[in-house]
Amino acid sequence: MNKNNIIGFVLMGLVLIGFSWYNQPTEEQIAAQRRQDSISAAMKKKAEEDRKIAEVTGKAQALTAAQNDTTSLFYPSLVGKNEQVTLKNSKIELTLDTKGGTLSKAKILNFKDRSGAKDVTLFDRGDQSMNFMMAGKTTNIVTGDLYFTPSDITDSTVTMTAQASNGGAVIIRYALGADYMLRMYVQAKGLAGVFAPNYREMDIEWGEKCRQQEKGFTFENRYATLTYKEKGGGTDYLSETSEEIDEKIDEPLDWVAFKNQFFSAVLIARDDIAANSLLTSIPQEKGSGYLKQYNAKLKTAFDPTGARPTEFEMFIGPNDFRLLQEVEEESTFGKDLELQQLVYLGWPLFRIINRWFTLYVFDWLTGFGFNMGIVLILITMLLKLLTYPMVKKTYLNSAKMRVLKPKLDEATKQYDKPEDQMMKQQAMMALYSKYGVSPLSGCLPMLIQMPIWIAMFNFVPNAIQLRGHRFMWIDDLSTYDPIFEWNTNIWLIGDHISLTCILFCLANIVYSVMTMRQQRDQMVGQQAEQMKMMQWMMYLMPVMFFFMFNDYSAGLNFYYFISLFFSAAIMWALRKTTNDARLLEILEAKYKENQNNPKKTSGLAARLEAMQRQAAEIQKMQQQQRNKR
């Protein structure tokens, strides 16, 4: 780029900046716009509130009219007293209301909540609702409006019955298994004449305000999603960050899950969930105590004759990969449910690493009863042991280039002009080839390690085994470990500073300094100058990591801190145990051997040399053409 082009770009930039500044609104205009936005927002909110009030009022009026109408089909079940029935085993405690006949509360036992209580309340009355709706010829049956009579009550079973005036009834039977699986059977008996002859589907409207269960709202919210599985296909989910209302799903579904980071409620239908389901996920404000507002409008098969009930299974429990595999085997529907997909292990490549390596190693180590912090350290040491041969190869290759640097400087000193850089590269490659050194041999081992690091980035935040476990100063490895906290939210930082994040960033700085020193020792000419220019970027990375990882779990930051610590220690040990003089002797011997038995360059190195020669010839021809002008 010549001087005139640079001046042109600068002037263009100044014009654009000036134009942007000129078009900025004044403070008075901003204030006026804010007032207008506030008025619009208030009007919109008022209209929404009026709509909801009208809807509730209309329903209440309709219900009141039905309650007063003694000819109403379900007149005997429209008035009553709401009572609770509890189903319980050693893993979970479920509460059902007789008003509506469905779940109102779910407690997952032996998992502490963020307030310190011994059990996690996944949802409570007011947080969760489930309505079964059946459209009749002249009247609609909505289970949420009916009072059910409980019978056949045990610790694990109950039958809810809403009696109709014609002798028929809507019956919902519940059976709780030995762990986290609840089975439901919905049936309309003696009501065949109420429905049209071709009526074959019931509607389900399921909603839940997903509670914040962990200390870190932002971090937990990343993993709270409305997830679903398509019939015969894979899983998908609505956006974790943006609002999606009545998102239409064109395919039939096996299940729908209201998921947070470590717990889920999953509705599974025997006869599939019909196509065109409408799913909603609305993120909630920090401090509200909730992560998302979920809603699912679904349809599934229904037998109006009452001969065959509509069957559901509902998993309510922890997102534990192995547990979800076991629960799927307990399902009586014979489907490939893939419930373990609720534990996000990363994109396909990283999921394979986590699924077939990390999980087995993690299970093996936790089987010894080690503290989870020790498990993370042992996993790090094992990974370092497995990758050590590649790391050593990378370092030795760098060391070879370092001891050859004086010879490279001498061999390339005549190529000091910018237009001679291609010739300089050719001279360097030729010298490396004579000494049996490949500049690219250290790249592949480092690239092989990258998927492991990324796989652990996906594995650690989703490992429920870390939840609630202490290690050293860390109260809970699954969330951040603050050394300072405050009440206001600061942009990019949040409301705390995490100690393990600081340790991770400091270790990153130390490792970056060692890496830059190693690279600087092997660079020649302008490469060394360019390295000096890049140093500020290397120092900036840990600062960026601080803002990115301050909200992340202490377990993940601790893993990265330990990983970088071991990497720096290995690099230091290799540097201390490498005899540069001896290494140079070995290279000189290799040089003499290659002189006596010259070998033709092959593979990637040969292709690179050919590309460099071709580029040098093109550059030479261009220079000749410029000289002729």
Side-chain angles (χ1 to χ4, degrees), residues 335-359:
K335 295 184 176 185
D336 184 14
L337 296 175
E338 297 183 19
L339 288 174
Q340 64 270 22
Q341 293 284 349
L342 290 169
V343 182
Y344 183 71
L345 297 178
W347 292 348
L349 173 62
F350 312 125
R351 185 173 183 86
I352 290 170
I353 294 171
N354 283 326
R355 172 68 181 84
W356 299 107
F357 173 77
T358 312
L359 268 169

Side-chain angles (χ1 to χ4, degrees), residues 223-247:
Y223 299 94
T225 57
L226 195 160
T227 307
Y228 56 91
K229 181 187 178 295
E230 295 180 356
K231 181 183 179 181
T235 60
D236 205 347
Y237 52 88
L238 301 189
S239 172
E240 312 99 312
T241 55
S242 60
E243 181 180 288
E244 294 192 53
I245 298 176
D246 287 343
E247 182 73 15

Side-chain angles (χ1 to χ4, degrees), residues 301-319:
F302 171 69
D303 180 5
T305 67
R308 181 173 177 268
T310 301
E311 296 183 46
F312 300 94
E313 291 176 335
M314 197 168 185
F315 170 80
I316 304 170
N319 300 330

Side-chain angles (χ1 to χ4, degrees), residues 432-458:
Y432 283 139
S433 179
K434 290 177 183 178
Y435 281 92
V437 176
S438 172
L440 300 176
S441 64
C443 297
L444 184 59
M446 296 304 293
L447 290 175
I448 291 173
Q449 293 183 74
M450 282 299 293
I452 298 174
W453 299 335
I454 299 173
M456 290 301 290
F457 174 84
N458 289 299

